[in-house]
Amino acid sequence: MTEIDQISPLLEIRDLSVRFKTDEGEVEALDKVSLEIKPCQTVGVVGESGCGKSVTAYSIMRLLPRPMGMISNGRILFQGKNLLDLSTEEMRDIRGNEIGMIFQEPMNALNPVQKIGKQLSEVFSLHQQDDNHQAWLRSIDMLEAVGIPSAENRMHEYPHQLSGGMRQRVVIAMALACKPSLIIADEPTTALDVTVQAQILDLLQNLQKETGCSILLITHDLGVIAETCDQVCVMYAGRVVEKGVAEKVFASPQHAYTQDLLGSIPRLDGHSKARLKTIEGIVPSLFELNEGCRFGPRSCRDHTEEQLSQRPDFKEISSGHWVEACPVCTQT
Amino acid sequence: MIKGSEFLRLDNLRVHFPVRGGVFKKAIGYCKAVDGVSFSLKKGQTLGLVGESGCGKSTLAKSIVRLLRPTSGKIHFKDYTTDDIERRKDFCKSVQMVFQDPAESLNTRMTVGAIIQEPLDIHGLGNRDERPVRVKELLQKVGLPVSATRRYPFEFSGGQRQRIGIARALAVSPELLVLDEPVSALDVSVQSQVLNLLLDLQNELGLSYLFIAHDLAVVKHVSDIIAVMYLGKIVEIASAEELYSNPLHAYTKALISAIPVPDPSVKRKRIVIPGDVPSPIDPPPGCAFGHRVNAKNYPASLGMPLGLKEVVADHWVLDCPCCIEEG
């Protein structure tokens, strides 16, 4: 047991299940997902589109579209409180104040017809009851903190006048405005160039050092996870298939899905024009999920009927390294 | 380089867009999207083009397939230039393009069969009985079921749609494919499927590729030669291995260091480039990259004609005093 193991988690998700009602029937977007984030940690959630990464983030913020999306099972404990029991007003207090969120596409997260200054100072006047002048001054400080040059002039500009990287900085400034203890970053760099991505990741890491907040980083880029995260959690078709300390998971991935995912990325130091490992087929539709090993039907490994119909246990194979123990997919 | 082996050659290509303003909408300035690009490509080779958004990659691609008209400069293809109107039809048949977003580049109201058959109809290849056979053959070649002909693009996933786009481009048996960010919209596992397909097709059909992407790892994987573009100009061009192991231009170095490596045990120093790509409408004088990073020797680049210089054999770099370290 190291020190960090004894600290109680800041956020703890236990057996979270989310169902969506659609025209074609009900689907289960998350199936008993468990996850925890310790103070000052960065936890990465990685997976392909449709695996439930964003749904996890939106469930924590209680921002699932209603009435289609509903949490059917589980608890989300934030600093010991179950967020699912809070009233709408109490939850509104937590959002922004205690948990900040950075959205994927900064253009869609900002109001296009309001100036940056107004949108940003609104955070202070709503959450911290600042008067207008004070909110304005604090907003300028915040913009400077995220590295926007000539912040005072930027306050009078509209989102479309800023570049993609600058807009993302504004969104980060908004998320960090009230010094939240947890930041949920939903694909914060996907829409950006690699060079700008490097800037934003650097910024997030520096801000984390200064404020000591925890970050839940959602991305499909394993490279980003490897560079920034302490813990990683691999999701597939609504379930967590593997989670643990980033170094361990990357060094010895146990689940076949994690292995295949890592194998399918072209590497800078790899051989040019060599064939890449691929995962055949696509992520299964949520309508045709089996109860057992969900990667089984796609993995080109022979599974028995029983393995496909009975949910494998989620086992701790070494300290802090958990894996969904399907006997076929976790063979070494 | 031996002239006979050249397949596609760009000669000082420029694409400038007029910026209009005032009462009479006169051109008050020019957006220099592509500003003097030259390179050549041999048959069966892949040239990768990387750069940040706004550096002119897509404009260059579009001007090569003549969706845009170059302002000046020539594109030589085999033994003719693309200005040669008599050979235009030949050219259109030999050079095809695959677009970035497969959802937007396929007509949603046409069946997949009709989409792939359209180039055959336009170029008058085969007769009424032969064309559907060819369509089925193409579908099999890109790994889609033959039953796809009667279905619509929305019924397919992103990776499958990109395969349809590739099948359409292959329909007229082209020799050069211009691929504009063909895998950026796809998930990693599907991305590797499409990359493998492209490599297989190249081996089988002897195609040449112009591969555009912003992901240097992907470009390195598929390319023989890589050209790095910055603000409408090529700043460095070399073979893939050489460029990666021995980058000379400061921008290339920064670009390589910015790519996240999927291995937490590798601890590297990220070179973070401050700021954004400057606007091509009113580019800074002298070296555009030196201006951005505020390089020490930046003033030395003012008033200097910046051209590509061959430093090592077949390794060309923009000869600029502020971006290349001596020694």
Side-chain angles (χ1 to χ4, degrees):
Chain A
M1 284 293 251
T2 51
E3 247 173 76
I4 193 94
D5 293 328
Q6 289 152 6
I7 304 172
S8 64
L10 177 74
L11 180 87
E12 193 179 1
I13 302 174
R14 280 276 153 265
D15 294 334
L16 183 71
S17 299
V18 173
R19 302 181 72 84
F20 279 91
K21 277 196 195 116
T22 66
D23 292 343
E24 287 91 38
E26 258 189 33
V27 293
E28 191 156 51
L30 288 188
D31 186 9
K32 296 198 174 150
V33 167
S34 297
L35 187 73
E36 53 187 44
I37 303 170
K38 300 258 165 75
C40 299
Q41 256 189 350
T42 305
V43 176
V45 178
V46 65
E48 291 173 271
S49 11
C51 72
K53 307 185 297 278
S54 293
V55 174
T56 313
Y58 284 98
S59 314
I60 299 170
M61 291 298 262
R62 297 239 322 254
L63 286 173
L64 288 175
R66 273 192 287 188
M68 297 87 81
M70 50 189 180
I71 294 169
S72 54
N73 183 33
R75 288 175 302 164
I76 301 174
L77 297 171
F78 177 71
Q79 294 174 335
K81 293 184 289 245
N82 189 352
L83 293 183
L84 302 179
D85 295 339
L86 299 183
S87 69
T88 316
E89 284 73 32
E90 286 170 319
M91 194 58 218
R92 201 176 289 151
D93 261 356
I94 294 217
R95 279 185 215 128
N97 255 337
E98 307 276 334
I99 308 178
M101 185 146 178
I102 300 167
F103 295 91
Q104 172 171 9
E105 182 41 79
M107 198 59 213
N108 298 341
L110 294 170
N111 187 337
V113 294
Q114 271 189 2
K115 290 178 180 167
I116 301 292
K118 182 154 194 286
Q119 298 189 47
L120 193 50
S121 50
E122 194 180 59
V123 181
F124 291 105
S125 38
L126 281 178
H127 285 294
Q128 316 240 311
Q129 286 77 40
D130 285 359
D131 61 44
N132 286 350
H133 181 64
Q134 207 180 349
W136 187 264
L137 292 180
R138 287 179 72 181
S139 307
I140 296 175
D141 287 347
M142 208 59 231
L143 284 186
E144 277 166 359
V146 294
I148 293 185
S150 54
E152 208 157 345
N153 299 331
R154 296 288 184 191
M155 294 282 281
H156 298 284
E157 288 184 357
Y158 289 96
H160 71 87
Q161 291 171 293
L162 304 178
S163 67
M166 284 296 156
R167 282 200 285 262
Q168 194 59 285
R169 282 166 194 265
V170 173
V171 174
I172 292 175
M174 286 169 92
L176 289 169
C178 300
K179 307 243 179 312
S181 42
L182 173 68
I183 295 169
I184 300 174
D186 186 7
E187 308 250 10
T189 57
T190 307
L192 307 173
D193 274 315
V194 270
T195 53
V196 183
Q197 168 172 294
Q199 289 172 13
I200 297 288
L201 293 179
D202 239 42
L203 172 70
L204 278 176
Q205 281 179 326
N206 289 338
L207 290 170
Q208 185 177 31
K209 264 182 222 145
E210 277 166 37
T211 61
C213 57
S214 306
I215 299 178
L216 179 68
L217 182 73
I218 292 170
T219 175
H220 63 265
D221 189 336
L222 284 160
V224 171
I225 299 262
E227 297 225 331
T228 55
C229 295
D230 308 306
Q231 295 271 328
V232 57
C233 170
V234 184
M235 287 185 73
Y236 185 75
R239 281 184 189 165
V240 176
V241 291
E242 185 160 3
K243 68 176 177 185
V245 182
E247 276 93 13
K248 274 190 197 161
V249 174
F250 278 92
S252 63
Q254 294 299 315
H255 198 278
Y257 180 64
T258 319
Q259 290 165 1
D260 289 0
L261 206 57
L262 277 167
S264 65
I265 326 170
R267 291 178 186 244
L268 268 181
D269 49 3
H271 281 289
S272 292
K273 301 215 168 188
R275 281 185 67 90
L276 290 166
K277 242 186 172 176
T278 60
I279 307 177
E280 290 305 313
I282 50 165
V283 179
S285 150
L286 293 178
F287 287 104
E288 39 201 57
L289 290 181
N290 53 313
E291 185 50 37
C293 176
R294 285 193 174 159
F295 187 54
R298 193 182 164 195
S299 68
C300 305
R301 292 168 179 83
D302 288 328
H303 284 68
T304 61
E305 278 297 311
E306 197 194 335
Q307 283 159 347
L308 290 178
S309 59
Q310 269 190 16
R311 183 169 182 165
D313 296 333
F314 201 59
K315 273 192 200 147
E316 187 168 19
I317 48 153
S318 66
S319 135
H321 189 166
W322 294 73
V323 66
E324 193 177 72
C326 164
V328 183
C329 285
T330 53
Q331 259 174 12
T332 40
Chain B
M1 258 177 229
I2 314 153
K3 207 157 181 234
S5 63
E6 274 172 9
F7 180 62
L8 174 81
R9 181 158 58 90
L10 268 59
D11 223 357
N12 216 2
L13 192 78
R14 287 172 206 275
V15 185
H16 293 181
F17 298 102
V19 180
R20 297 183 188 280
V23 185
F24 298 107
K25 296 277 174 260
K26 265 174 63 182
I28 51 170
Y30 286 91
C31 169
K32 297 173 177 172
V34 175
D35 198 21
V37 166
S38 313
F39 62 73
S40 62
L41 177 65
K42 289 178 191 155
K43 195 162 173 55
Q45 267 191 337
T46 303
L47 187 125
L49 200 58
V50 277
E52 288 170 272
S53 31
C55 73
K57 303 183 300 270
S58 292
T59 308
L60 183 62
K62 284 182 185 157
S63 61
I64 289 174
V65 295
R66 283 198 86 85
L67 285 173
L68 284 173
R69 236 188 137 125
T71 313
S72 71
K74 287 236 162 27
I75 302 169
H76 301 269
F77 184 71
K78 294 202 280 196
D79 57 339
Y80 55 94
T81 71
T82 52
D83 295 334
D84 193 344
I85 295 171
E86 284 165 25
R87 305 291 297 272
R88 186 63 54 79
K89 196 131 196 194
D90 270 359
F91 178 76
C92 292
K93 230 176 79 180
S94 322
V95 180
Q96 287 286 314
M97 185 154 174
V98 176
F99 296 90
Q100 171 169 11
D101 191 342
E104 280 173 26
S105 58
L106 300 174
N107 190 334
T108 46
R109 293 174 173 229
M110 281 164 81
T111 59
V112 170
I115 288 172
I116 299 175
Q117 198 179 323
E118 199 179 15
L120 299 173
D121 295 340
I122 290 170
H123 287 278
L125 300 174
N127 59 33
R128 200 189 280 189
D129 302 324
E130 287 162 8
R131 284 175 198 162
V133 179
R134 170 87 178 134
V135 168
K136 283 178 186 151
E137 196 184 294
L138 285 163
L139 281 171
Q140 280 168 342
K141 202 167 261 171
V142 297
L144 287 173
V146 175
S147 61
T149 44
R150 275 195 297 276
R151 288 157 68 190
Y152 287 88
F154 74 87
E155 296 177 59
F156 295 90
S157 69
Q160 287 174 317
R161 277 188 216 145
Q162 198 56 288
R163 286 170 194 263
I164 298 170
I166 293 170
R168 175 178 61 182
L170 290 176
V172 292
S173 316
E175 292 166 75
L176 172 68
L177 276 194
V178 177
L179 305 147
D180 188 5
E181 306 250 11
V183 293
S184 357
L186 307 174
D187 267 319
V188 269
S189 69
V190 180
Q191 170 181 300
S192 61
Q193 291 171 11
V194 173
L195 289 177
N196 278 348
L197 171 69
L198 287 172
L199 290 174
D200 291 347
L201 287 172
Q202 184 166 44
N203 288 337
E204 192 187 326
L205 306 170
L207 294 167
S208 307
Y209 290 147
L210 180 69
F211 191 97
I212 296 174
H214 60 262
D215 186 337
L216 199 53
V218 170
V219 170
K220 158 122 192 313
H221 185 78
V222 296
S223 307
D224 300 296
I225 307 170
I226 298 179
V228 182
M229 250 181 116
Y230 185 73
L231 207 67
K233 288 193 169 76
I234 287 181
V235 297
E236 191 161 2
I237 182 165
S239 73
E241 292 299 333
E242 166 76 12
L243 188 91
Y244 172 64
S245 57
N246 181 25
L248 292 173
H249 197 276
Y251 181 62
T252 316
K253 286 179 192 166
L255 211 56
I256 290 175
S257 84
I259 306 164
V261 176
D263 187 353
S265 57
V266 180
K267 291 277 176 259
R268 300 166 313 152
K269 178 95 191 73
R270 260 203 302 262
I271 307 172
V272 174
I273 313 174
D276 299 300
V277 183
S279 156
I281 296 175
D282 191 13
C287 170
F289 186 68
H291 182 264
R292 175 172 170 190
V293 297
N294 216 349
K296 201 163 68 219
N297 284 340
Y298 169 63
S301 76
L302 292 171
M304 246 180 81
L306 300 176
L308 286 174
K309 182 175 84 170
E310 192 169 15
V311 182
V312 191
D314 286 329
H315 186 157
W316 298 73
V317 61
L318 197 69
D319 187 18
C320 156
C322 57
C323 299
I324 302 164
E325 277 170 36
E326 296 298 328

